[in-house]
Amino acid sequence: MKIFKHNNNVLNAEDKFSQSRSGSRSPQDLTQLGELAIKLLNDKNLEVSKVRPFFWSLVETYVDRFHLYPFDVNKALFSQLELNDYPEDTVQQLVEQLEVQFEKTHGRPLRKTTGMPDELGVLDDEIKQLRDSLKYAAMVAEADD
């Protein structure tokens, strides 16, 4: 495997990995590739904007090839939330997205309903009865005057 020299246009996944797609490579090639990636990542001049697309293309390629993620996604999610001190807005959005997707997929809500719709119906009936009683009392009071 050819060793790529460091330049300012580092970490273009297509360039770095197109060679490994063209033929069978040994685990030694992957080890060398990993060592090269670590060396490039330790460059103090490397920008996050260059690294993120590189890693994302690796993950996408891995998922396309093996139909699973190369890491525990649950652990990654909780690690990310922990790094940011479990931001309320983000956690709320995730919960809502999960609930919506669960209901779309399984045809039922994730959480059991609390019975509120039934309670609201009973409450509406009681309010209507009270309103009618007040109207009647007002009419009787006017008639007495």
Side-chain angles (χ1 to χ4, degrees):
M1 177 173 177
K2 181 179 176 185
I3 301 294
F4 292 91
K5 296 194 184 238
H6 176 67
N7 61 37
N8 290 334
N9 297 323
V10 296
L11 301 181
N12 181 338
E14 186 63 34
D15 293 340
K16 305 289 187 270
F17 296 101
S18 62
Q19 291 182 1
S20 63
R21 291 184 197 149
S22 62
S24 66
R25 299 291 182 184
S26 69
Q28 184 179 1
D29 290 336
L30 288 176
T31 301
Q32 290 173 335
L33 183 59
E35 290 169 356
L36 177 60
I38 290 169
K39 181 180 176 186
L40 291 172
L41 286 170
N42 283 323
D43 180 351
K44 64 181 177 183
N45 297 319
L46 185 61
E47 299 171 20
V48 171
S49 64
K50 303 277 185 188
V51 177
R52 188 170 292 178
F54 166 72
F55 275 111
W56 191 244
S57 67
L58 285 179
V59 170
E60 285 178 329
T61 302
Y62 187 96
V63 171
D64 286 346
R65 170 71 173 85
F66 299 108
H67 306 286
L68 63 122
Y69 283 90
F71 47 82
D72 180 342
V73 293
N74 293 327
K75 185 176 180 181
L77 174 62
F78 282 101
S79 294
Q80 172 64 21
L81 292 172
E82 188 176 309
L83 278 174
N84 294 301
D85 223 12
Y86 293 91
E88 186 174 342
D89 292 343
T90 302
V91 172
Q92 185 67 34
Q93 278 182 318
L94 285 170
V95 169
E96 289 171 6
Q97 286 176 328
L98 286 170
E99 287 176 335
V100 166
Q101 191 58 46
F102 183 91
E103 192 164 350
K104 282 182 184 177
T105 303
H106 298 285
R108 59 182 169 82
L110 178 63
R111 300 182 209 198
K112 292 182 180 178
T113 57
T114 60
M116 285 295 286
D118 292 337
E119 292 174 12
L120 289 175
V122 170
L123 186 60
D124 284 345
D125 290 343
E126 289 177 2
I127 290 172
K128 186 179 182 312
Q129 288 174 355
L130 286 171
R131 189 178 296 130
D132 290 343
S133 296
L134 287 173
K135 284 181 184 177
Y136 180 76
M139 287 174 26
V140 169
E142 285 178 6
D144 289 342
D145 289 338

